[in-house]
Amino acid sequence: MANAVDGNMEFTIPSIFRSVAKWQDLRFYQKSVVLYQLTYSFCVRFLPKYGDRTVDQMVQSARSCKQNIVEGSENGKTSTAMELNLLNVARSSIGELRQDYEDFLKSRQLLQWTPTDQRFQPMQEFTKSHNQLANYEPYFQKWTAEEMANVGLTLCYQVDTMMNKYLKKLEDIFVKEGGVKERMHKARTEYRMQQDKRLEELERRLPLLEQQLSATQAEAAQWKAAYENLKQRALKAYNRQQEEIKALKLQLGLK
């Protein structure tokens, strides 16, 4: 909201921009950064440098997720619909990446950890409580292919779950507030209503102002008349004194 002052009246100009969370502070964005860097390191360590399209697909999917979160959040200031669309693109990218990690484990006869695996719960607790890249980087060169793929899979599921909850909130906002067109219409409507109220207030105050003006003009006329009367009296007194001085000089023989 922006405030404007006109005379003695202050009115609010509604903003058409929606208040959105900073994408840097979104936990699923932070995890998507980790996932992108982890995926890149995973591909460098465990996939062929040449001749395997999986490398490009996995890295691009991880990057697409991260970048669409950023772009969606920025677009969300003006268009909730665009933010919803871009975040759904990010979710699709996560789905592709998750499938690639699963295929990697299956094709190499490696285990995809389940809750019955003793390594599953510690991994869950670690990934849930850590969102910063600095928490993961020390392990990028230590984890085995199986460990790294399972961590990547877990992050995929977590990011997707968190984004899905966020999308539901956005859908509720969109239903209640609409998009930028609705906010523009609301802003124009509220502005016109405020202007109408301002006009009504001015019209209500006008008769009083006119009355005050008439009273002031009448008082000014009285002061003017009093001033002219005083001026004339002072002039007569001055002229009378001049005559008296002249007569006295004649009596005394003075020129």
Side-chain angles (χ1 to χ4, degrees):
M1 294 288 188
N3 292 329
V5 178
D6 190 348
N8 294 324
M9 301 185 68
E10 181 174 339
F11 54 93
T12 302
I13 302 174
S15 174
I16 65 171
F17 298 105
R18 183 171 66 84
S19 177
V20 298
K22 293 182 179 179
W23 48 266
Q24 298 95 328
D25 298 333
L26 295 171
R27 292 180 65 224
F28 57 82
Y29 168 76
Q30 295 169 357
K31 286 185 181 295
S32 75
V33 172
V34 174
L35 186 56
Y36 171 70
Q37 296 296 337
L38 181 143
T39 300
Y40 183 85
S41 295
F42 175 84
C43 291
V44 169
R45 288 186 63 196
F46 302 114
L47 291 174
K49 292 183 179 180
Y50 306 103
D52 190 343
R53 293 183 58 192
T54 305
V55 174
D56 289 337
Q57 291 172 351
M58 291 183 71
V59 172
Q60 288 303 316
S61 293
R63 183 182 183 278
S64 173
C65 173
K66 178 174 68 71
Q67 294 303 112
N68 277 289
I69 292 172
V70 174
E71 188 175 352
S73 182
E74 290 294 330
N75 278 276
K77 296 174 183 177
T78 55
S79 175
T80 307
M82 182 63 73
E83 184 177 11
L84 286 166
N85 181 59
L86 289 169
L87 289 181
N88 273 309
V89 172
R91 285 194 65 209
S92 297
S93 297
I94 282 290
E96 293 178 10
L97 182 60
R98 184 173 63 237
Q99 190 67 53
D100 284 330
Y101 274 120
E102 290 176 350
D103 289 344
F104 177 88
L105 291 171
K106 291 177 182 177
S107 64
R108 289 158 178 79
Q109 290 78 49
L110 299 174
L111 291 178
Q112 181 175 337
W113 301 346
T114 63
T116 58
D117 193 300
Q118 62 179 359
R119 296 168 293 183
F120 181 83
Q121 192 59 35
M123 177 188 64
Q124 284 282 329
E125 292 176 357
F126 177 83
T127 52
K128 283 183 178 180
S129 59
H130 294 84
N131 300 319
Q132 302 302 320
L133 179 60
N135 302 129
Y136 293 81
E137 279 185 316
Y139 301 100
F140 284 176
Q141 300 303 317
K142 298 178 182 179
W143 280 329
T144 64
E146 183 175 294
E147 289 171 333
M148 209 164 187
N150 274 281
V151 171
L153 267 175
T154 300
L155 287 172
C156 284
Y157 280 110
Q158 289 177 359
V159 171
D160 184 65
T161 299
M162 295 169 73
M163 287 181 63
N164 194 39
K165 291 180 180 178
Y166 187 76
L167 282 167
K168 288 180 180 179
K169 291 181 180 179
L170 288 181
E171 289 170 358
D172 291 339
I173 292 173
F174 185 74
V175 170
K176 293 176 182 178
E177 299 181 6
V180 65
K181 291 182 179 180
E182 289 83 356
R183 290 196 294 276
M184 291 175 66
H185 175 73
K186 181 181 178 182
R188 287 194 297 267
T189 301
E190 289 185 8
Y191 179 76
R192 288 176 185 148
M193 290 175 63
Q194 290 174 6
Q195 293 302 303
D196 290 342
K197 289 181 180 179
R198 176 174 176 271
L199 181 59
E200 291 175 2
E201 176 64 17
L202 290 174
E203 290 176 342
R204 184 185 66 80
R205 292 167 54 188
L206 184 60
L208 177 61
L209 293 173
E210 290 176 340
Q211 183 180 358
Q212 292 174 344
L213 177 61
S214 297
T216 302
Q217 289 175 335
E219 184 178 359
Q222 292 176 355
W223 280 105
K224 183 177 181 181
Y227 168 76
E228 289 297 330
N229 180 53
L230 181 62
K231 178 181 177 181
Q232 292 300 321
R233 288 167 58 190
L235 184 60
K236 288 180 180 180
Y238 173 78
N239 291 333
R240 188 165 52 249
Q241 287 180 350
Q242 290 296 317
E243 290 296 329
E244 291 176 355
I245 292 172
K246 185 177 180 181
L248 184 59
K249 285 183 176 181
L250 288 174
Q251 291 178 3
L252 296 173
L254 300 173
K255 293 182 180 181

